[in-house]
Amino acid sequence: MSESYNQSGGTSVIVIGAGIIGVSTALALQDRGHAVTLLDRRGVAEETSRGNAGAFAFTDVEPLASPGILLKAPKWLLDPLGPLSLRPAYAHKMLPWARHFYAASRPRRHKASISAQARLMTLSRAALVRLIARVEGEPLMRREGQLQVYEGEAEYRASLPAWELRRQHGIAFDLLESPEAIAEIQPGLASRFTHAGFTPDWMNTVDPKLWTEHLAACFRAAGGVIETNDVQAMVQQGDAVVLETTAGLLRADQVVVAAGAWSHRLARTLGDRIPLETERGYNTTFPTCTFDLRTHVTFSNHGFVVSKIGDGLRVGGSVELGGLELPPNYRRSEVLVQKAVQFLPGFDGTGGTQWMGFRPSMPDSLPAIGRSPRADRVTYAFGHGHLGLTQSAGTAEIVADIVARRPLALNIAPYAPLRFGGQP
Ligand SMILES: Cc1cc2nc3c(=O)[nH]c(=O)nc-3n(C[C@H](O)[C@H](O)[C@H](O)COP(=O)(O)OP(=O)(O)OC[C@H]3O[C@@H](n4cnc5c(N)ncnc54)[C@H](O)[C@@H]3O)c2cc1C
């Protein structure tokens, strides 16, 4: 196997997708001496990485696919504007993914997914510390923790097994059992919230778009190339990968696919069938804060969060299963804002900008990280679902080691892209 080495001993690598996963990966590859080109059909952070809630949610080790969700889902699905919804026009297309999701929710698989998620979180957290230092990124971070609030004793008690799980994985938290204790961390919440869990080590970026753009600027400043280009297909030919793009054919020694919720379409061109779906999420961003938000607040039983973004506030969440083509239903954003107005007395709730993004989701909530079995010069890095920002720095380090064929800091078998057997 021969590769064309550049002066610093690295090979030429094309990364497809300039969301947070692609940009972080491009930077990590560049730091290891590769000549890297980053391609995106729209630009840097123009899709899902632009509008997320901005949280590094290292404490969220429990996958969506869980025994608990199987109990809650039927009730949620009956409410078309509830935390989880399925667009009827898309229902039949969801069946294969839903079958894998169901299997991944069984207790044994669920337990294995939690361990794999926790290991990736530990690595990602350490990698983020390295990345912040590398790019002088501290001014783009907030360290204000996260408050997960509950309405009444019964809801709180039902959450305790999840907190016990976090404890088993070494996650620090405080349980708050009175409105007064909650008010010490976040004053002004509606009195219906009587209990909470606080995770002090949770971090946020001041703005996920700015953070991704900052990483892209560091990549460019060190000689990295970013081009607007739409990749249609890939093929491995001898010692190179050839990309068919709207700007013609491109060649590289290695390729990384970090195309978010569209990645499975590229994988298909190699013959790899990967059950990637999208969990569409909605939010509304307010340019100024009419509520004194002191931490990231999660209303988990309502499926949404409020976080500070820049000088403003973002209300976002919900999961809509509806594929990549159906138009957004912004009633979902409106419902979340109506709830935020009730839950945060004094919050104005007018003048916001609505947005929908495509979470790239595998059935077991673990990402797809690893080489294509059909083309060993193509590495996949996608499918991070609700946690793409959180796991971006760790994913980037793993992928850089895969490309360089170096020993890995983590057993990546649980994230094998074809772990569902190649059936969509
Ligand atoms: C409402 C909401 C809130 C969220 N909150 C959080 C949070 O607080 N913390 C967290 O960790 N995660 C959160 N997420 C999830 C997170 O945003 C995603 O996991 C993450 O952005 C995925 O990043 P990505 O780089 O894989 O994909 P993207 O950001 O979607 O980037 C993929 C890129 O690939 C490009 N592309 C696709 N196909 C091609 C092609 N053929 N050729 C060229 N380019 C192509 C696209 O243009 C796009 O720019 C949230 C998501 C939503 C929707």
Side-chain angles (χ1 to χ4, degrees):
M1 182 186 319
S2 81
E3 291 182 332
S4 54
Y5 288 86
N6 61 26
Q7 283 175 336
S8 40
T11 59
S12 68
V13 185
I14 291 179
V15 177
I16 307 171
I20 188 60
I21 300 295
V23 172
S24 307
T25 301
L27 194 59
L29 286 162
Q30 184 187 54
D31 283 350
R32 286 156 178 75
H34 301 282
V36 186
T37 302
L38 181 55
L39 303 181
D40 197 291
R41 62 181 175 210
R42 297 197 54 202
V44 173
E46 286 295 327
E47 291 281 359
T48 322
S49 301
R50 160 193 204 96
N52 62 52
F56 293 96
F58 296 118
T59 61
D60 279 10
V61 293
E62 187 169 14
L64 191 69
S66 62
I69 197 92
L70 296 181
L71 295 173
K72 286 182 188 166
K75 189 179 115 210
W76 280 348
L77 285 168
L78 285 176
D79 176 359
L81 295 173
L84 172 69
S85 74
L86 173 61
R87 294 282 284 261
Y90 195 73
H92 63 291
K93 296 201 176 148
M94 282 300 303
L95 283 174
W97 189 90
R99 192 167 46 83
H100 291 306
F101 181 90
Y102 177 75
S105 301
R106 307 303 289 259
R108 205 165 52 84
R109 291 272 304 279
H110 173 241
K111 201 167 164 218
S113 298
I114 293 172
S115 299
Q117 197 71 290
R119 288 194 295 274
L120 185 54
M121 290 298 196
T122 303
L123 175 77
S124 296
R125 189 186 184 125
L128 180 65
V129 172
R130 290 187 277 276
L131 182 61
I132 291 173
R134 152 76 178 85
V135 302
E136 297 178 0
E138 194 55 39
L140 289 171
M141 297 294 143
R142 288 190 217 275
R143 296 171 190 274
E144 297 172 346
Q146 180 241 184
L147 190 66
Q148 199 150 329
V149 292
Y150 304 104
E151 292 169 77
E153 183 85 22
E155 202 176 284
Y156 170 64
R157 296 257 159 246
S159 78
L160 291 179
W163 289 105
E164 170 57 20
L165 241 166
R166 293 186 182 102
R167 194 189 58 71
Q168 288 166 12
H169 288 281
I171 294 164
F173 61 85
D174 295 315
L175 295 177
L176 311 172
E177 300 191 339
S178 71
E180 294 74 29
I182 295 174
E184 281 181 27
I185 291 168
Q186 177 59 67
L189 288 181
S191 57
R192 62 201 282 172
F193 299 106
T194 53
H195 296 69
F198 182 64
T199 48
D201 296 339
W202 176 293
M203 285 169 60
N204 282 54
T205 168
V206 299
D207 184 330
K209 179 170 173 1
L210 285 185
W211 172 240
T212 313
E213 286 174 347
H214 178 69
L215 298 179
C218 293
F219 170 70
R220 267 202 195 94
V225 175
I226 304 181
E227 289 174 3
T228 307
N229 202 342
D230 193 339
V231 182
Q232 320 275 285
M234 310 181 284
V235 61
Q236 185 162 319
Q237 287 181 349
D239 291 339
V241 182
V242 178
L243 300 183
E244 188 187 311
T245 80
T246 42
L249 296 182
L250 294 177
R251 292 173 78 84
D253 294 324
Q254 301 210 41
V255 164
V256 176
V257 178
W262 299 267
S263 300
H264 59 312
R265 293 179 174 174
L266 287 169
R268 271 302 267 276
T269 69
L270 288 177
D272 290 336
R273 297 163 77 93
I274 300 178
L276 183 75
E277 266 296 340
T278 179
E279 293 176 52
R280 296 148 56 116
Y282 290 82
N283 69 34
T284 308
T285 305
F286 300 85
T288 53
C289 236
T290 51
F291 181 87
D292 177 19
L293 192 67
R294 302 197 184 166
T295 182
H296 180 110
V297 182
T298 301
F299 301 96
S300 34
N301 286 304
H302 296 271
F304 79 101
V305 304
V306 289
S307 54
K308 276 195 244 171
I309 298 292
D311 295 328
L313 187 146
R314 181 165 287 165
V315 177
S318 90
V319 168
E320 182 186 64
L321 304 170
L324 293 165
E325 314 298 342
L326 289 176
N329 172 8
Y330 285 118
R331 269 294 291 143
R332 305 194 68 81
S333 300
E334 288 163 22
V335 166
L336 300 185
V337 172
Q338 281 161 12
K339 287 192 172 184
V341 167
Q342 286 174 43
F343 298 168
L344 312 175
F347 169 55
D348 178 356
T350 59
T353 305
Q354 296 173 327
W355 176 84
M356 185 194 75
F358 298 97
R359 298 184 190 95
S361 299
M362 298 290 285
D364 55 3
S365 307
L366 298 175
I369 304 174
R371 289 183 186 276
S372 160
R374 289 186 174 77
D376 71 343
R377 287 165 179 271
V378 175
T379 301
Y380 295 131
F382 57 81
H384 296 77
H386 295 238
L387 296 166
L389 174 65
T390 308
Q391 297 178 335
S392 51
T395 299
E397 289 192 357
I398 298 172
V399 172
D401 286 341
I402 293 174
V403 167
R405 300 182 193 275
R406 284 209 300 239
L408 304 180
L410 195 67
N411 169 18
I412 58 167
Y415 325 107
L418 270 78
R419 61 188 178 275
F420 293 96
Q423 298 305 310

mmCIF file with all atom_site columns, all heavy atoms in Angstrom, residues 215-226:
data_model
loop_
_atom_site.group_PDB
_atom_site.id
_atom_site.type_symbol
_atom_site.label_atom_id
_atom_site.label_alt_id
_atom_site.label_comp_id
_atom_site.label_asym_id
_atom_site.label_entity_id
_atom_site.label_seq_id
_atom_site.pdbx_PDB_ins_code
_atom_site.Cartn_x
_atom_site.Cartn_y
_atom_site.Cartn_z
_atom_site.occupancy
_atom_site.B_iso_or_equiv
_atom_site.pdbx_formal_charge
_atom_site.auth_seq_id
_atom_site.auth_comp_id
_atom_site.auth_asym_id
_atom_site.auth_atom_id
_atom_site.pdbx_PDB_model_num
ATOM 1  N N   . LEU A 1 215 ? -13.058 27.194 14.975 1.00 0.00 ? 215 LEU A N   1
ATOM 2  C CA  . LEU A 1 215 ? -12.201 26.043 14.650 1.00 0.00 ? 215 LEU A CA  1
ATOM 3  C C   . LEU A 1 215 ? -11.825 26.075 13.167 1.00 0.00 ? 215 LEU A C   1
ATOM 4  O O   . LEU A 1 215 ? -10.677 25.793 12.793 1.00 0.00 ? 215 LEU A O   1
ATOM 5  C CB  . LEU A 1 215 ? -12.914 24.728 14.982 1.00 0.00 ? 215 LEU A CB  1
ATOM 6  C CG  . LEU A 1 215 ? -13.275 24.497 16.459 1.00 0.00 ? 215 LEU A CG  1
ATOM 7  C CD1 . LEU A 1 215 ? -13.985 23.162 16.626 1.00 0.00 ? 215 LEU A CD1 1
ATOM 8  C CD2 . LEU A 1 215 ? -12.036 24.541 17.347 1.00 0.00 ? 215 LEU A CD2 1
ATOM 9  N N   . ALA A 1 216 ? -12.791 26.448 12.335 1.00 0.00 ? 216 ALA A N   1
ATOM 10 C CA  . ALA A 1 216 ? -12.523 26.519 10.886 1.00 0.00 ? 216 ALA A CA  1
ATOM 11 C C   . ALA A 1 216 ? -11.482 27.604 10.594 1.00 0.00 ? 216 ALA A C   1
ATOM 12 O O   . ALA A 1 216 ? -10.604 27.422 9.726  1.00 0.00 ? 216 ALA A O   1
ATOM 13 C CB  . ALA A 1 216 ? -13.820 26.793 10.128 1.00 0.00 ? 216 ALA A CB  1
ATOM 14 N N   . ALA A 1 217 ? -11.560 28.712 11.312 1.00 0.00 ? 217 ALA A N   1
ATOM 15 C CA  . ALA A 1 217 ? -10.588 29.792 11.099 1.00 0.00 ? 217 ALA A CA  1
ATOM 16 C C   . ALA A 1 217 ? -9.181  29.329 11.494 1.00 0.00 ? 217 ALA A C   1
ATOM 17 O O   . ALA A 1 217 ? -8.195  29.643 10.816 1.00 0.00 ? 217 ALA A O   1
ATOM 18 C CB  . ALA A 1 217 ? -10.995 31.030 11.901 1.00 0.00 ? 217 ALA A CB  1
ATOM 19 N N   . CYS A 1 218 ? -9.077  28.554 12.586 1.00 0.00 ? 218 CYS A N   1
ATOM 20 C CA  . CYS A 1 218 ? -7.767  28.028 13.009 1.00 0.00 ? 218 CYS A CA  1
ATOM 21 C C   . CYS A 1 218 ? -7.225  27.063 11.955 1.00 0.00 ? 218 CYS A C   1
ATOM 22 O O   . CYS A 1 218 ? -6.024  27.047 11.654 1.00 0.00 ? 218 CYS A O   1
ATOM 23 C CB  . CYS A 1 218 ? -7.884  27.301 14.350 1.00 0.00 ? 218 CYS A CB  1
ATOM 24 S SG  . CYS A 1 218 ? -8.290  28.403 15.698 1.00 0.00 ? 218 CYS A SG  1
ATOM 25 N N   . PHE A 1 219 ? -8.120  26.260 11.391 1.00 0.00 ? 219 PHE A N   1
ATOM 26 C CA  . PHE A 1 219 ? -7.732  25.298 10.340 1.00 0.00 ? 219 PHE A CA  1
ATOM 27 C C   . PHE A 1 219 ? -7.195  26.043 9.118  1.00 0.00 ? 219 PHE A C   1
ATOM 28 O O   . PHE A 1 219 ? -6.130  25.725 8.588  1.00 0.00 ? 219 PHE A O   1
ATOM 29 C CB  . PHE A 1 219 ? -8.970  24.457 9.993  1.00 0.00 ? 219 PHE A CB  1
ATOM 30 C CG  . PHE A 1 219 ? -8.836  23.574 8.782  1.00 0.00 ? 219 PHE A CG  1
ATOM 31 C CD1 . PHE A 1 219 ? -8.006  22.469 8.799  1.00 0.00 ? 219 PHE A CD1 1
ATOM 32 C CD2 . PHE A 1 219 ? -9.562  23.848 7.620  1.00 0.00 ? 219 PHE A CD2 1
ATOM 33 C CE1 . PHE A 1 219 ? -7.890  21.645 7.676  1.00 0.00 ? 219 PHE A CE1 1
ATOM 34 C CE2 . PHE A 1 219 ? -9.461  23.036 6.508  1.00 0.00 ? 219 PHE A CE2 1
ATOM 35 C CZ  . PHE A 1 219 ? -8.626  21.923 6.532  1.00 0.00 ? 219 PHE A CZ  1
ATOM 36 N N   . ARG A 1 220 ? -7.923  27.092 8.720  1.00 0.00 ? 220 ARG A N   1
ATOM 37 C CA  . ARG A 1 220 ? -7.486  27.897 7.564  1.00 0.00 ? 220 ARG A CA  1
ATOM 38 C C   . ARG A 1 220 ? -6.148  28.579 7.846  1.00 0.00 ? 220 ARG A C   1
ATOM 39 O O   . ARG A 1 220 ? -5.258  28.599 7.004  1.00 0.00 ? 220 ARG A O   1
ATOM 40 C CB  . ARG A 1 220 ? -8.506  28.984 7.272  1.00 0.00 ? 220 ARG A CB  1
ATOM 41 C CG  . ARG A 1 220 ? -9.538  28.590 6.264  1.00 0.00 ? 220 ARG A CG  1
ATOM 42 C CD  . ARG A 1 220 ? -10.161 29.850 5.636  1.00 0.00 ? 220 ARG A CD  1
ATOM 43 N NE  . ARG A 1 220 ? -11.379 29.507 4.944  1.00 0.00 ? 220 ARG A NE  1
ATOM 44 C CZ  . ARG A 1 220 ? -12.587 29.586 5.506  1.00 0.00 ? 220 ARG A CZ  1
ATOM 45 N NH1 . ARG A 1 220 ? -12.734 30.004 6.736  1.00 0.00 ? 220 ARG A NH1 1
ATOM 46 N NH2 . ARG A 1 220 ? -13.655 29.245 4.821  1.00 0.00 ? 220 ARG A NH2 1
ATOM 47 N N   . ALA A 1 221 ? -6.036  29.141 9.062  1.00 0.00 ? 221 ALA A N   1
ATOM 48 C CA  . ALA A 1 221 ? -4.827  29.895 9.408  1.00 0.00 ? 221 ALA A CA  1
ATOM 49 C C   . ALA A 1 221 ? -3.588  28.999 9.349  1.00 0.00 ? 221 ALA A C   1
ATOM 50 O O   . ALA A 1 221 ? -2.483  29.468 9.081  1.00 0.00 ? 221 ALA A O   1
ATOM 51 C CB  . ALA A 1 221 ? -4.977  30.499 10.806 1.00 0.00 ? 221 ALA A CB  1
ATOM 52 N N   . ALA A 1 222 ? -3.785  27.702 9.574  1.00 0.00 ? 222 ALA A N   1
ATOM 53 C CA  . ALA A 1 222 ? -2.645  26.778 9.535  1.00 0.00 ? 222 ALA A CA  1
ATOM 54 C C   . ALA A 1 222 ? -2.486  26.151 8.144  1.00 0.00 ? 222 ALA A C   1
ATOM 55 O O   . ALA A 1 222 ? -1.794  25.145 7.978  1.00 0.00 ? 222 ALA A O   1
ATOM 56 C CB  . ALA A 1 222 ? -2.835  25.701 10.589 1.00 0.00 ? 222 ALA A CB  1
ATOM 57 N N   . GLY A 1 223 ? -3.147  26.732 7.145  1.00 0.00 ? 223 GLY A N   1
ATOM 58 C CA  . GLY A 1 223 ? -2.957  26.268 5.757  1.00 0.00 ? 223 GLY A CA  1
ATOM 59 C C   . GLY A 1 223 ? -4.026  25.341 5.237  1.00 0.00 ? 223 GLY A C   1
ATOM 60 O O   . GLY A 1 223 ? -3.924  24.845 4.103  1.00 0.00 ? 223 GLY A O   1
ATOM 61 N N   . GLY A 1 224 ? -5.053  25.075 6.023  1.00 0.00 ? 224 GLY A N   1
ATOM 62 C CA  . GLY A 1 224 ? -6.123  24.183 5.574  1.00 0.00 ? 224 GLY A CA  1
ATOM 63 C C   . GLY A 1 224 ? -6.976  24.841 4.489  1.00 0.00 ? 224 GLY A C   1
ATOM 64 O O   . GLY A 1 224 ? -7.124  26.060 4.460  1.00 0.00 ? 224 GLY A O   1
ATOM 65 N N   . VAL A 1 225 ? -7.521  24.002 3.618  1.00 0.00 ? 225 VAL A N   1
ATOM 66 C CA  . VAL A 1 225 ? -8.327  24.515 2.496  1.00 0.00 ? 225 VAL A CA  1
ATOM 67 C C   . VAL A 1 225 ? -9.787  24.138 2.737  1.00 0.00 ? 225 VAL A C   1
ATOM 68 O O   . VAL A 1 225 ? -10.088 22.985 3.060  1.00 0.00 ? 225 VAL A O   1
ATOM 69 C CB  . VAL A 1 225 ? -7.837  23.887 1.168  1.00 0.00 ? 225 VAL A CB  1
ATOM 70 C CG1 . VAL A 1 225 ? -8.727  24.312 0.001  1.00 0.00 ? 225 VAL A CG1 1
ATOM 71 C CG2 . VAL A 1 225 ? -6.379  24.236 0.927  1.00 0.00 ? 225 VAL A CG2 1
ATOM 72 N N   . ILE A 1 226 ? -10.682 25.124 2.591  1.00 0.00 ? 226 ILE A N   1
ATOM 73 C CA  . ILE A 1 226 ? -12.122 24.844 2.693  1.00 0.00 ? 226 ILE A CA  1
ATOM 74 C C   . ILE A 1 226 ? -12.773 25.236 1.373  1.00 0.00 ? 226 ILE A C   1
ATOM 75 O O   . ILE A 1 226 ? -12.605 26.365 0.911  1.00 0.00 ? 226 ILE A O   1
ATOM 76 C CB  . ILE A 1 226 ? -12.772 25.626 3.861  1.00 0.00 ? 226 ILE A CB  1
ATOM 77 C CG1 . ILE A 1 226 ? -12.070 25.310 5.185  1.00 0.00 ? 226 ILE A CG1 1
ATOM 78 C CG2 . ILE A 1 226 ? -14.266 25.309 3.958  1.00 0.00 ? 226 ILE A CG2 1
ATOM 79 C CD1 . ILE A 1 226 ? -12.639 26.016 6.411  1.00 0.00 ? 226 ILE A CD1 1
#
